Amino acid sequence: MTSRFVEVVMHVFVTGASGWIGSATVAELIKAGHRVTGLARSDAAAERITALGAAVRRGTIDDPEVLRAGAADSDGVVHLGYNHDFSRMADALETDRRAIEALGEGLEGTGRPLLIASGVLGLGGGRVATEHDVPDGAGHPRQANALVALALADRGVRPLIARFAPTVHGAGDHGFVAHLTQIARTKGIAAYVGDGANHWPAVHVLDAATLVRLAVEDAPAGTILHATAEEGVTSRDIAEAIGRGLGVPVESIPDSRVDEHFGWIGRLFAIDSRSSSEATQQLLGWKPTHPTLLEDLAAGHYFA
């Protein structure tokens, strides 16, 4: 399709550039011909970003001056940096809000894109969530900050919300599925909650990176996008795949023992959440092509 916004070469400022989704996004942007500067809070992060072929801006997501300057020097921003310490969620959300505001100030009046990350987990209220579900701040903890980003359209920014599946999988993933695998290894059983019929959406990290690149290039201001290749994989199917990979039995855990068995991830793993990306695929011409979650689990990436 014909791009509405993409320049011949964009200079994209990426926070979280050395992270799981961020590093894949940096590589995707560079492969498409764009220049990238990644935010690095440490020497190790700077080395990873440089190895990807990107420039480095030193700083952290809680430094508004660094963020404002990085945004002002760019043709657009991809904001993936986030503190995932679940014991300090309120602090993380406040830091994220201030970061979005600072990035928006750096882009104000330019019409350039600011893409921020959010999530689909918990959307829909028992039905399949779509891109038309407006953030209300009451579901996924990052929805309130999505509203902060969307309001930047009134200040001459092109805000975009990418709502990611709870599992962004692939070789090297150290997120939720890797954590569930470690619990199964430690406990000696691969478990699910109740009847295991609840669903988790999923997307391969390389498909997610392609979506981010297409959105920055072409999505209109205020667009909400779903980075979900699979509408929902049942938790029982996930547990059974982990059980096969580790060679351990698969068992149901009653709701009364969820916290004891799974710890902090238990209540998340018990959520029933299905999410469509039909509108995203139609808008961007995005078509997920990489392995599914169960295919990745069968390939053994999580069991080495």
Side-chain angles (χ1 to χ4, degrees):
M1 71 184 177
T2 302
S3 174
R4 289 177 289 259
F5 300 106
V6 67
E7 302 175 25
V8 175
V9 174
M10 295 180 69
H11 175 208
V12 185
F13 179 46
V14 180
T15 73
S18 64
W20 173 237
I21 302 174
S23 59
T25 297
V26 169
E28 172 68 20
L29 287 165
I30 291 173
K31 184 175 71 173
H34 302 300
R35 293 191 300 115
V36 177
T37 296
L39 183 69
R41 69 177 181 272
S42 66
D43 291 343
E47 289 173 5
R48 286 194 292 272
I49 293 167
T50 300
L52 292 168
V56 171
R57 182 180 288 268
R58 293 300 295 262
T60 65
I61 58 172
D62 57 3
D63 187 335
E65 292 301 324
V66 169
L67 298 180
R68 195 176 295 114
D73 290 343
S74 75
D75 298 316
V77 176
V78 173
H79 175 46
L80 300 173
Y82 192 77
N83 182 354
H84 292 280
D85 182 352
F86 284 88
S87 68
R88 301 182 61 193
M89 186 175 293
D91 290 342
L93 289 170
E94 178 60 19
T95 297
D96 190 48
R97 182 189 63 78
R98 290 196 300 266
I100 292 168
E101 290 176 343
L103 292 166
E105 289 167 2
L107 295 172
E108 189 167 353
T110 66
R112 293 171 179 171
L114 168 58
L115 182 145
I116 74 157
S118 187
V120 299
L121 198 62
L123 288 173
R127 56 174 175 77
V128 178
T130 75
E131 295 88 340
H132 301 295
D133 287 304
V134 178
D136 62 5
H140 190 283
R142 295 173 79 173
Q143 287 184 44
N145 287 345
L147 292 173
V148 173
L150 291 173
L152 292 170
D154 294 333
R155 295 164 57 187
V157 179
R158 177 158 63 93
L160 309 168
I161 312 300
R163 296 200 289 220
F164 290 92
T167 173
V168 182
H169 57 87
D173 174 22
H174 53 271
F176 285 170
V177 172
H179 189 68
L180 290 169
T181 300
Q182 184 56 43
I183 292 171
R185 183 180 282 113
T186 301
K187 301 279 188 176
I189 61 169
Y192 54 89
V193 180
D195 63 5
N198 62 295
H199 300 80
W200 260 21
V203 66
H204 194 281
V205 67
L206 298 181
D207 287 321
T210 300
L211 182 151
V212 171
R213 191 257 304 167
L214 290 171
V216 168
E217 290 177 345
D218 205 55
T223 301
I224 295 175
L225 304 147
H226 279 187
T228 57
E230 297 180 85
E231 182 180 290
V233 185
T234 69
S235 63
R236 181 166 185 164
D237 284 344
I238 295 170
E240 288 176 345
I242 292 172
R244 285 192 297 271
L246 293 177
V248 299
V250 180
E251 296 182 13
S252 168
I253 297 296
D255 187 72
S256 60
R257 292 185 52 227
V258 168
D259 297 333
E260 170 197 342
H261 182 86
F262 290 104
W264 63 266
I265 200 172
R267 296 298 167 184
L268 295 176
F269 193 43
I271 292 174
D272 185 32
S273 181
R274 293 176 296 152
S275 175
S276 168
S277 63
E278 182 179 350
T280 297
Q281 295 189 43
Q282 290 180 354
L283 176 68
L284 299 180
W286 176 62
K287 186 66 177 177
T289 59
H290 290 88
T292 66
L293 173 59
L294 296 183
E295 287 170 345
D296 257 350
L297 283 164
H301 300 315
Y302 291 85
F303 312 116

